[in-house]
Amino acid sequence: MSDAKLAPNLPQWMLDHANRYLSSGGTEGHDYKIAPPGYGEMVVPALLLTTTGRKSGERYIFPLFYGKTGNSYIIVASKGGAPEHPGWYRNLLAHPEAEIQVATQKLKVRARTTSGEERERLWKLALGFWPPYADYAKKTDREIPVVVLDPAG
């Protein structure tokens, strides 16, 4: 992942989080302590997603909260309820092959967007690790994508 760089325009808290994760080799930052507005303090599992830019072809790192289903990881393209999908999700649509780092483990994955019953089931799981997703869904007209990252290889 050495040729990858942090995605541009990340909010400061995400930059701080990703830098701590990277500089520690994954021993810090994989359990992210946060107190979102309207919620108490919680610890949320976080991974680093490396995508290939759909326009630039460059590799970008995004820190994201995640859940697990079987051997796969779940991430949610909420962008805080913004009207448009986050850049990392648009990158995955163009280039579904990606890499993740979960704590100190690095692996290659292939992304797929869920739908129907699978999406409903995994959305409920996502609300378990990050309840504010429900608030984000109320703020936007788009269906927030729930993405599964399946191990590749």
Side-chain angles (χ1 to χ4, degrees):
M1 284 207 247
S2 58
D3 63 330
K5 57 188 173 196
L6 288 175
N9 307 316
L10 289 178
Q12 191 59 49
W13 73 270
M14 286 180 100
L15 283 174
D16 294 344
H17 174 216
N19 280 319
R20 188 168 72 250
Y21 207 124
L22 290 166
S23 66
S24 72
T27 59
E28 294 178 34
H30 58 278
D31 290 325
Y32 190 75
K33 192 180 288 186
I34 187 169
Y39 295 86
E41 187 172 85
M42 58 183 85
V43 176
V44 189
L47 57 73
L48 297 178
L49 171 71
T50 302
T51 66
T52 301
R54 64 199 174 283
K55 296 176 188 162
S56 68
E58 294 188 53
R59 290 161 36 84
Y60 292 110
I61 300 168
F62 299 85
L64 300 169
F65 298 149
Y66 76 91
K68 282 208 73 174
T69 181
N71 292 329
S72 299
Y73 296 85
I74 305 155
I75 53 177
V76 178
S78 67
K79 200 174 181 183
E84 71 284 343
H85 295 312
W88 64 259
Y89 178 70
R90 296 191 309 264
N91 288 349
L92 288 176
L93 290 176
H95 304 285
E97 294 77 23
E99 290 177 21
I100 58 172
Q101 180 173 339
V102 181
T104 58
Q105 181 188 15
K106 295 177 183 180
L107 63 151
K108 292 188 182 314
V109 293
R110 182 169 180 88
R112 62 183 175 82
T113 303
T114 61
S115 61
E117 183 279 325
E118 183 185 34
R119 184 194 178 278
E120 288 306 308
R121 180 173 55 83
L122 297 179
W123 176 253
K124 288 183 182 115
L125 187 86
L127 292 176
F129 65 79
W130 187 243
Y133 286 142
D135 302 330
Y136 303 164
K138 290 178 191 142
K139 290 195 322 196
T140 184
D141 292 334
R142 68 184 172 92
E143 181 177 83
I144 294 175
V146 178
V147 178
V148 172
L149 302 171
D150 294 312

